[in-house]
């Protein structure tokens, strides 16, 4: 007996179930194939574009696949998964930005380190002089307590303050931003204590100490830089103090005197350190930067000396035919000097003679036919820009800006600024935007001439630069 019962309706083969459905044999294809709807995926319009190279083609396909994958993920992911994915993407963007910023800062730091290295070696020289084209109207700062000629000035390292000293012993602290008086030390009057005649001033890099040399004393006067309160008098020189300068970023003070010596002081301990001798005449000026060395001019002994303090040695330079009245460092290796012979000289520490000199740098005096006496100079540190001031035939001041040539072997005049009176002191602001001059009716060292029309004042001269550079 058969276990199978045939269907009485037809004699065809038995039907099989596929996935719970009964399939029928058709004449067009396999008997059990179910029909499906065709689903067409949308493709970008540029599917038919031709890539310019195999690499570009592969890149385009990769981008398309990535977009498709992202769309599939977005369709399938939950809200929590979407938040996590967006957070990861945001973190990746932050990491990229931080890496770019770190790379930029690393480049900036490397550039700064290179500049510091060149500055330390005395080879840093920024070419800026060619950008100076003129000057704006000078701004005059006057104080009724400074009744006599301005003899000296110094600027704070941030360029916000300027200190001025005068022949009547008064010191005034000015705000360069607000153009107003901040503090004052009054000079000696009848029945009062004070300085008789301020010959030189210097401020420490951090502004903590202000020091002054008084022509009526052999001491170095020490004051606080902020409040101008008296701290101490440093004793040791046997004659009047003629020059003062701090070593940069320290409280080491170098002082020069008419006694022909240079002394080193430590103001942290208010202590004397050592003395150096060599000049054959009273010292007229002194300057220093970061190295443990100072540079001085010896007036009528006709020499400039670099004092190597650690090595306890000195370098001697000769070049002027008269008194050398001022010397200023351009960088650690080059310096500028001037004197009553009318010469303006640029020097290098490796040569005993000037690298270049300009005789009669300010022309000749029409009255006596002698070269104009250059009374003061200034240098824009680590650049090719310097300035000088002379006394003209009418005893008015003439300030000239100069550009130092390649390797400091030439000087080219850029522009001229005329002021009424004697220019007894000059200084560039640290940003090079202005030149500050100390003006007086008389020369800082004597009373040979007098210009009644002159104003005893500080004159701030804004300088014009191309594109504000």
């Amino acid at each position: 007996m058969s276990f199978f019962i045939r269907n009485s309706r037809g004699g065809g083969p038995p039907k099989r179930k596929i996935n719970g459905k009964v399939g029928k044999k058709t004449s067009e294809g396999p008997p059990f194939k179910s029909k499906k709807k065709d689903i067409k995926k949308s493709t970008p319009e540029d599917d038919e574009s031709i890539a310019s190279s195999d690499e570009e083609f592969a890149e385009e396909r990769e981008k398309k696949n990535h977009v498709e994958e992202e769309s599939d993920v977005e369709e399938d992911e939950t809200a929590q998964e979407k938040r996590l994915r967006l957070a990861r993407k945001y973190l990746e963007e932050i990491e990229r930005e931080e890496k770019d910023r770190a790379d930029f800062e690393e480049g900036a730091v490397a550039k700064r380190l290179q500049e510091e290295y060149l500055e330390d070696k005395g080879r840093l020289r920024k070419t800026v002089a060619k950008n100076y084209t003129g000057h704006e109207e000078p701004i005059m700062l006057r104080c009724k307590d400074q009744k006599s000629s301005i003899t000296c000035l110094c600027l704070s390292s941030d360029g916000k303050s300027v200190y001025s000293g005068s022949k009547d012993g008064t010191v005034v602290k000015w705000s360069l931003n607000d153009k107003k008086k901040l503090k004052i030390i009054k000079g000696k009057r009848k029945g009062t204590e004070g300085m008789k005649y301020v010959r030189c001033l210097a401020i420490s890099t951090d502004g903590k100490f202000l020091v002054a040399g008084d022509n009526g004393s052999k001491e170095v006067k020490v004051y606080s830089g902020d409040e101008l309160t008296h701290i101490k008098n440093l004793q040791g020189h046997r004659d009047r103090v003629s020059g003062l300068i701090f070593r940069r970023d320290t409280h080491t003070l170098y002082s020069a005197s008419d006694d022909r010596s240079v002394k080193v002081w430590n103001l942290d301990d208010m202590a004397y350190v050592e003395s150096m001798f060599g000049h054959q005449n009273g010292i007229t000026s002194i300057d220093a930067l970061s190295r443990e060395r100072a540079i001085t001019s010896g007036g009528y002994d006709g020499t400039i000396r670099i004092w190597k303090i650690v090595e306890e040695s000195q370098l001697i330079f000769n070049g002027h035919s008269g008194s050398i009245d001022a010397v200023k460092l351009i960088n650690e290796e080059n310096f500028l000097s001037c004197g009553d012979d009318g010469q303006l000289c640029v020097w290098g520490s490796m040569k005993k003679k000037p690298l270049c000199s300009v005789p009669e740098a300010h022309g000749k005096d029409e009255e006596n036919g002698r070269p104009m006496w250059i009374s003061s100079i200034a240098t824009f540190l680590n650049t090719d820009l310097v300035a000088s001031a002379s006394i003209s035939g009418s005893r008015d001041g003439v300030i000239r800006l100069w550009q130092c040539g390649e390797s400091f072997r030439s000087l080219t005049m850029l522009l001229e600024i005329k002021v009424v009176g004697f220019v007894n002191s000059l200084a560039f602001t640290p940003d090079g935007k202005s030149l500050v001059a100390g003006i007086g009716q008389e020369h800082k060292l004597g009373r040979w001439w007098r210009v009644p029309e002159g104003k005893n004042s500080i004159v701030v001269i804004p300088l014009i630069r191309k594109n504000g550079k």
Side-chain angles (χ1 to χ4, degrees):
M1 183 175 175
S2 173
F3 290 97
F4 298 97
I5 299 173
R6 294 182 180 274
N7 192 343
S8 59
R9 290 187 181 180
K15 296 179 181 178
R16 296 177 61 189
K17 289 185 179 181
I18 299 176
N19 295 329
K21 294 183 180 181
V22 177
K24 293 184 180 180
K25 180 181 179 181
T26 61
S27 60
E28 297 177 359
F32 308 114
K33 186 175 181 180
S34 60
K35 291 184 181 179
K36 294 182 180 178
K37 292 182 181 179
D38 294 334
I39 300 172
K40 293 185 179 179
K41 291 184 179 179
S42 60
T43 56
E45 292 181 359
D46 62 343
D47 244 2
E48 298 179 359
S49 64
I50 300 173
S52 60
S53 66
D54 292 341
E55 290 82 1
E56 291 181 11
F57 180 74
E59 198 174 310
E60 288 177 8
R61 298 303 304 172
E62 188 177 348
K63 284 180 182 177
K64 291 172 191 173
N65 293 336
H66 182 67
V67 170
E68 289 173 1
E69 287 173 8
E70 278 193 350
S71 62
D72 291 342
V73 168
E74 288 175 5
E75 288 175 5
D76 297 339
E77 69 184 354
T78 64
Q80 180 66 18
E81 290 171 339
K82 185 175 182 180
R83 282 196 292 270
L84 287 171
R85 179 175 58 80
L86 293 175
R88 288 193 195 99
K89 190 175 181 182
Y90 179 66
L91 287 173
E92 288 173 2
E93 289 177 1
I94 291 176
E95 286 176 3
R96 268 198 308 272
E97 290 176 1
E98 289 296 325
K99 188 176 182 298
D100 293 342
R101 188 181 293 110
D103 292 341
F104 173 78
E105 289 177 355
E106 185 179 350
V109 168
K111 183 179 179 182
R112 190 161 60 248
L113 287 173
Q114 184 183 17
E115 286 188 355
E116 287 178 0
Y117 172 78
L118 291 173
E119 182 178 351
D120 182 61
K121 295 296 181 183
R123 295 200 296 267
L124 181 60
R125 178 179 176 271
K126 298 176 185 176
T127 306
V128 300
K130 62 183 178 182
N131 296 321
Y132 288 81
T133 58
H135 67 91
E136 297 176 7
E137 189 66 26
I139 302 165
M140 187 177 293
L141 307 179
R142 296 189 67 192
C143 174
K144 63 180 182 180
D145 293 297
Q146 279 189 321
K147 299 176 181 178
S148 299
S149 297
I150 305 298
T151 56
C152 54
L153 58 84
C154 63
L155 273 72
S156 59
S157 60
D158 58 9
K160 293 180 180 179
S161 304
V162 60
Y163 301 82
S164 62
S166 62
K167 278 188 175 183
D168 58 12
T170 305
V171 175
V172 179
K173 179 181 179 181
W174 304 86
S175 168
L176 276 181
N177 294 332
D178 300 328
K179 307 295 187 294
K180 67 178 183 180
K181 178 182 70 177
L182 299 176
K183 298 286 181 180
I184 186 170
I185 302 172
K186 291 188 177 182
K188 189 173 184 179
R189 303 289 186 269
K190 289 182 179 180
T192 61
E193 292 296 323
M195 288 183 284
K196 183 178 179 182
Y197 178 131
V198 183
R199 186 167 175 182
C200 50
L201 289 172
I203 184 76
S204 59
T205 308
D206 60 2
K208 184 176 181 179
F209 297 113
L210 174 73
V211 290
D214 178 13
N215 250 18
S217 168
K218 301 174 185 177
E219 301 169 334
V220 177
K221 314 284 187 181
V222 183
Y223 300 88
S224 69
D226 291 331
E227 299 298 323
L228 300 190
T229 53
H230 183 259
I231 298 174
K232 190 178 177 65
N233 292 337
L234 302 176
Q235 299 176 344
H237 282 292
R238 293 175 294 169
D239 207 337
R240 295 168 297 184
V241 177
S242 57
L244 294 164
I245 192 71
F246 280 94
R247 182 183 167 207
R248 289 182 72 186
D249 301 316
T250 73
H251 293 152
T252 300
L253 174 68
Y254 304 127
S255 63
S257 169
D258 287 342
D259 66 7
R260 301 175 290 179
S261 72
V262 175
K263 292 190 183 296
V264 185
W265 311 83
N266 180 356
L267 262 61
D268 287 323
D269 301 325
M270 292 295 164
Y272 161 78
V273 179
E274 63 178 310
S275 297
M276 295 171 287
F277 300 90
H279 279 293
Q280 304 303 309
N281 198 76
I283 299 172
T284 54
S285 70
I286 188 169
D287 199 14
L289 292 177
S290 298
R291 291 182 183 175
E292 287 192 70
R293 55 172 63 180
I295 186 169
T296 55
S297 56
Y300 282 105
D301 77 357
T303 67
I304 295 170
R305 295 175 188 248
I306 292 179
W307 305 87
K308 296 185 175 182
I309 295 164
V310 175
E311 295 89 339
E312 295 184 353
S313 63
Q314 55 186 281
L315 302 176
I316 305 173
F317 303 86
N318 298 277
H320 286 271
S321 58
S323 172
I324 306 176
D325 290 341
V327 62
K328 290 289 290 183
L329 286 162
I330 300 171
N331 53 40
E332 293 283 8
E333 294 292 333
N334 301 96
F335 50 95
L336 180 73
S337 67
C338 71
D340 63 2
D341 61 356
Q343 262 194 113
L344 198 60
C345 299
V346 180
W347 308 72
S349 62
M350 303 303 292
K351 290 186 177 292
K352 298 294 183 182
K353 296 293 181 182
L355 296 176
C356 79
S357 60
V358 182
E360 301 175 5
H362 283 253
K364 286 186 176 182
D365 191 329
E366 295 177 357
E367 293 182 3
N368 54 30
R370 292 176 58 83
M372 295 291 187
W373 184 358
I374 300 177
S375 57
S376 56
I377 52 176
T379 60
F380 187 15
L381 196 59
N382 293 317
T383 72
D384 59 345
L385 180 66
V386 300
S388 61
S390 70
I391 307 163
S392 70
S394 61
R395 308 304 168 205
D396 287 342
V398 178
I399 302 171
R400 288 184 175 179
L401 266 59
W402 305 80
Q403 179 180 9
C404 299
E406 189 67 30
S407 302
F408 297 98
R409 293 190 174 275
S410 66
L411 277 174
T412 306
M413 195 185 80
L414 297 172
L415 58 101
E416 188 174 274
I417 306 165
K418 292 186 177 181
V419 294
V420 179
F422 290 84
V423 183
N424 290 324
S425 190
L426 276 177
F428 284 99
T429 54
D431 57 10
K433 292 181 178 179
S434 300
L435 182 63
V436 185
I439 308 297
Q441 293 179 335
E442 301 170 343
H443 191 277
K444 60 185 174 183
L445 298 178
R447 293 181 172 173
W448 310 289
W449 309 290
R450 183 177 174 82
V451 182
E453 299 82 9
K455 304 294 183 183
N456 300 320
S457 60
I458 295 293
V459 174
V460 182
I461 306 167
L463 301 174
I464 300 172
R465 298 182 289 185
K466 293 178 184 175
N467 304 321
K469 293 182 180 178

